[in-house]
Amino acid sequence: MRHVAVIGSGPAGYYTAEACQKAFGDAVRVDIIDRMPVPFGLIRSGVAPDHQSIKGVSRRYEATALSDNVRFVGHVSVGTDVTIPELLDLYDAVVLATGAPQDRPLGIPGADLPGVVGSAAFVGWYNGHPDHAALAPALTGPGAVVVGAGNVALDVARILAKTADEFAGSDIVGHALDALTGQASDAITILARRGPHQIAMTPKELGELAHLSRALPTVDPADLPPAAEDAVLDPGTRKAVAHLRAFADHPRAGDDARTLPIVFDFFAQPVAIEGDGRVERVIVERTRLDEQGRAVATGETYAIPAQLVVSCIGYQTPRVEGVPYDEKLGRFANDEGRIAPGLYAVGWARRGPTGTIGTNRPDGFLIADHIAADTADDSAKSGRPRLDALLASRGVDVVTFRDWQDIEKAEVANARDGAPREKFVAVDAMLGARK
Ligand code: NAP
């Protein structure tokens, strides 16, 4: 028997549990520990609420969670309720699957003004993460500026642009639905510090902007390279750039009704955020590309009026005391997932915040291979019973997967018409929904 503790119940955590089941069969016990009383991490609180088909992957994790050798140990904070050295003492392998839920800092003057938020906070707000439920972003005013040219920037711009009807069937939380459909910016600007060929956006996500009822995506044709140069792009980026070319090619029939511009501002790097006590404008510097394709400042600046700035420039993994950390890359220092004897990292905590949800699956199998190679199946560790005793002695109110199923039932019962669920946005409310 091997005893494995996985910290974090998002995709990387569940794929690791699944891989351990496949590798060791009945001869493994996996405890998936999460500080939240609810599982699935990024699937619940990161994936956009209007992308329900992507969220459907949690059904696969549920099958893993309901098997006898995998447990969900929710509402347990590693570092507070139990430490990494204690877990290493109890388990053969401890796997950090803590993701990358912290925003990378924008690092420009004024970035700490009220009205400037990171995408982790903004996405957490509309997805009902308890840490961000009280965010109350400023939605009415001259502009929302979204910094970054990745898929998170697209999620944020799309959610800011949608009407109430366009949220039908989504599980956007009530507080965000009310706020977003009652208020609006005059314009949404996506600031990309490089050009159309350097975007980190994917075609499907970019194409969605073309079908919004009140918003009109626009691209300055002068920013687009000659069409013949698209041939050098990988097929995905080429398709995405084709959408940008279509956005540059307006007006089109029906555009009159679309009064909310989503402006793609390419070669545009924010250099300061200004305002009297809160954000009023973003100072942007024009860039050009150098021979290596990097953004170089040109010295030309201009101001974009804004009441809200959402920085979507990537994420980092939170530090855990005593665990080596790579400052530059914003994740745990590791060698192919190995951190120290018995200690591993998987998913975004290992690789950094890139790739799709499915990218985490091979990651989980890699870690299961490491565990097979590094540990023996006749473990002297005690695993579950001693963790339970330790947590009970500390008065920790552990949430099980069965408890989560009660919470989920209550969320489904609370759903508004047509929505799959209305999420609890406070930990106490989640705990109170247990039978
Ligand atoms: P990302 O794909 O790494 O994009 C980050 C963007 O921020 C890049 O355009 C980058 O520009 C820009 N940036 C970085 N530092 C900057 C700075 N200091 N100033 C201005 N711009 C800066 O990250 P993400 O959008 O957070 O997405 C994370 C991962 O989740 C990605 O793999 C993404 O595809 C995935 N995701 C997928 C979906 C989906 O499939 N529906 C939805 C959301 C997220 P440079 O290129 O110039 O560095």
Side-chain angles (χ1 to χ4, degrees):
M1 181 67 68
R2 287 176 169 89
H3 299 282
V4 178
V6 175
I7 323 297
S9 67
Y14 270 104
Y15 284 128
T16 302
E18 184 189 319
C20 286
Q21 277 183 325
K22 291 224 159 83
F24 309 121
D26 285 342
V28 70
R29 294 287 175 272
V30 184
D31 281 353
I32 302 184
I33 301 170
D34 201 298
R35 78 184 172 93
M36 282 292 134
V38 293
F40 307 138
L42 198 74
I43 301 295
R44 178 177 168 103
S45 58
V47 171
D50 56 345
H51 283 171
Q52 286 298 311
S53 59
I54 300 180
K55 286 181 190 264
V57 73
S58 61
R59 292 291 159 223
R60 178 191 182 121
Y61 308 149
E62 197 171 87
T64 304
L66 288 170
S67 63
D68 289 340
N69 51 355
V70 175
R71 279 200 317 180
F72 173 66
V73 188
H75 196 225
V76 174
S77 283
V78 172
T80 315
D81 297 327
V82 61
T83 65
I84 293 286
E86 286 170 337
L87 290 173
L88 285 169
D89 196 36
L90 297 178
Y91 293 84
D92 299 291
V94 176
V95 184
L96 295 165
T98 46
Q102 280 177 351
D103 289 301
R104 281 188 49 222
L106 202 47
I108 57 174
D112 53 352
L113 278 174
V116 183
V117 299
S119 53
F122 191 74
V123 171
W125 169 72
Y126 64 61
N127 268 328
H129 192 292
D131 288 355
H132 306 296
L135 186 73
L139 298 168
T140 306
V145 170
V146 180
V147 184
N151 281 328
V152 171
L154 281 181
D155 278 350
V156 167
R158 188 181 70 255
I159 295 294
L160 282 167
K162 278 197 162 180
T163 59
D165 285 351
E166 289 171 303
F167 283 116
S170 80
D171 68 350
I172 188 165
V173 288
H175 66 225
L177 182 66
D178 292 345
L180 285 161
T181 55
Q183 313 164 55
S185 300
D186 297 342
I188 298 168
T189 303
I190 297 177
L191 286 186
R193 64 178 171 183
R194 298 192 290 156
H197 275 192
Q198 288 75 36
I199 52 170
M201 298 165 168
T202 45
K204 182 175 161 288
E205 284 64 29
L206 200 45
E208 282 179 70
L209 294 192
H211 306 290
L212 297 175
S213 60
R214 71 170 168 183
L216 181 67
T218 65
V219 169
D220 181 348
D223 285 339
L224 288 161
E229 293 180 16
D230 292 359
V232 301
L233 299 172
D234 67 78
T237 311
R238 199 179 317 134
K239 271 193 205 156
V241 170
H243 286 299
L244 295 176
R245 292 195 183 281
F247 299 162
D249 183 23
H250 65 84
R252 289 162 300 184
D255 283 354
D256 293 354
R258 300 203 281 165
T259 52
L260 171 62
I262 300 179
V263 179
F264 283 83
D265 197 353
F266 286 106
F267 305 104
Q269 166 86 53
V271 289
I273 297 168
E274 295 178 349
D276 188 6
R278 60 165 298 108
V279 53
E280 291 174 17
R281 72 197 77 82
V282 181
I283 307 300
V284 179
E285 183 162 25
R286 272 274 161 258
T287 62
R288 60 174 178 79
L289 293 186
D290 68 8
E291 289 75 32
Q292 280 80 41
R294 292 173 302 206
V296 184
T298 62
E300 179 196 342
T301 61
Y302 54 98
I304 301 177
Q307 84 288 352
L308 174 68
V309 177
V310 188
S311 154
C312 308
I313 62 166
Y315 298 115
Q316 55 194 15
T317 297
R319 288 166 183 72
V320 172
E321 204 187 323
V323 179
Y325 193 81
D326 187 326
E327 296 286 339
K328 197 160 157 264
L329 298 174
R331 56 167 169 73
F332 297 118
N334 71 89
D335 179 9
E336 294 286 304
R338 289 186 171 100
I339 299 176
L343 187 61
Y344 305 85
V346 70
W348 281 10
R350 168 173 101 79
R351 289 181 285 112
T354 57
T356 62
I357 288 158
T359 316
N360 294 299
R361 195 161 181 267
D363 253 36
F365 280 88
L366 172 82
I367 297 303
D369 285 349
H370 288 342
I371 295 173
D374 300 348
T375 65
D377 64 1
D378 54 348
S379 170
K381 306 269 181 168
S382 42
R384 286 180 180 183
R386 275 203 41 219
L387 176 72
D388 291 351
L390 190 69
L391 295 175
S393 73
R394 291 174 182 169
V396 180
D397 185 6
V398 174
V399 173
T400 66
F401 202 81
R402 297 281 172 207
D403 290 335
W404 150 245
Q405 290 180 310
D406 291 339
I407 298 169
E408 189 183 30
K409 267 192 206 120
E411 289 188 338
V412 171
N414 291 344
R416 62 184 171 271
D417 274 357
R421 66 188 64 77
E422 182 63 50
K423 290 178 197 162
F424 293 111
V425 301
V427 167
D428 283 350
M430 293 169 182
L431 297 177
R434 292 173 296 177
K435 293 269 178 335

